[in-house]
Amino acid sequence: MQRIAGRKGHSAILTLVSYRSADADRVINELRTALMSCKGYSAGPTKATYEDVEATSDPSQGDGGVAFRLKLVMQPGEDGLKVSISVTVIRHGSTLAIYKVAADTPETTASIPADLVNAQSKVLDAAVHTTA
């Protein structure tokens, strides 16, 4: 499931992905490990290039998670155009909530709205930790 929300200066994409519980935990751990050494990569059908990957503070919500920033290279070169992207991945049981925000301008640092993460985490935690 994917939702897009907008706010002046940023637009956020929230993606929910379901796994088996052990696999969701493994994905978080593998991502955390990759962030220790990853500085950039290319991905997707257009081979989009991402640089300046850096881990940020882990989120406090959910059952664990990771957060990082990176830059999408729009124009290569020393003075090329790069857009800031912020990503937070939070595990809620066997579901991963992936928040991704791209800045509207190259001069702006992308920031995921805390109220979005808190509200969505509250709903996901309630669903995961409800007893029948």
Side-chain angles (χ1 to χ4, degrees):
M1 195 269 321
Q2 192 171 66
R3 297 266 191 227
I4 299 173
R7 194 182 269 186
K8 186 174 178 153
H10 303 284
S11 48
I13 298 172
L14 167 61
T15 305
L16 299 177
V17 182
S18 293
Y19 291 91
R20 290 183 302 194
S21 188
D23 291 338
D25 192 44
R26 180 182 51 77
V27 168
I28 292 292
N29 289 331
E30 287 177 357
L31 184 53
R32 182 176 287 113
T33 299
L35 286 168
M36 290 181 198
S37 60
C38 180
K39 299 300 176 209
Y41 63 96
S42 294
T46 62
K47 298 292 184 203
T49 301
Y50 298 90
E51 295 178 348
D52 305 328
V53 178
E54 65 175 327
T56 57
S57 298
D58 286 349
S60 60
Q61 298 90 344
D63 302 314
V66 296
F68 58 98
R69 285 197 181 101
L70 63 160
K71 302 249 176 103
L72 170 60
V73 178
M74 304 294 287
Q75 273 183 333
E78 191 172 314
D79 296 326
L81 179 63
K82 296 179 184 180
V83 175
S84 173
I85 296 176
S86 184
V87 179
T88 298
V89 183
I90 302 173
R91 184 174 69 84
H92 300 273
S94 62
T95 299
L96 297 185
I98 305 165
Y99 303 85
K100 183 177 176 182
V101 173
D104 284 352
T105 66
E107 300 81 26
T108 308
T109 300
S111 176
I112 297 172
D115 58 340
L116 171 67
V117 175
N118 290 334
Q120 188 63 49
S121 290
K122 184 177 178 182
V123 171
L124 289 168
D125 282 340
V128 168
H129 300 294
T130 300
T131 56

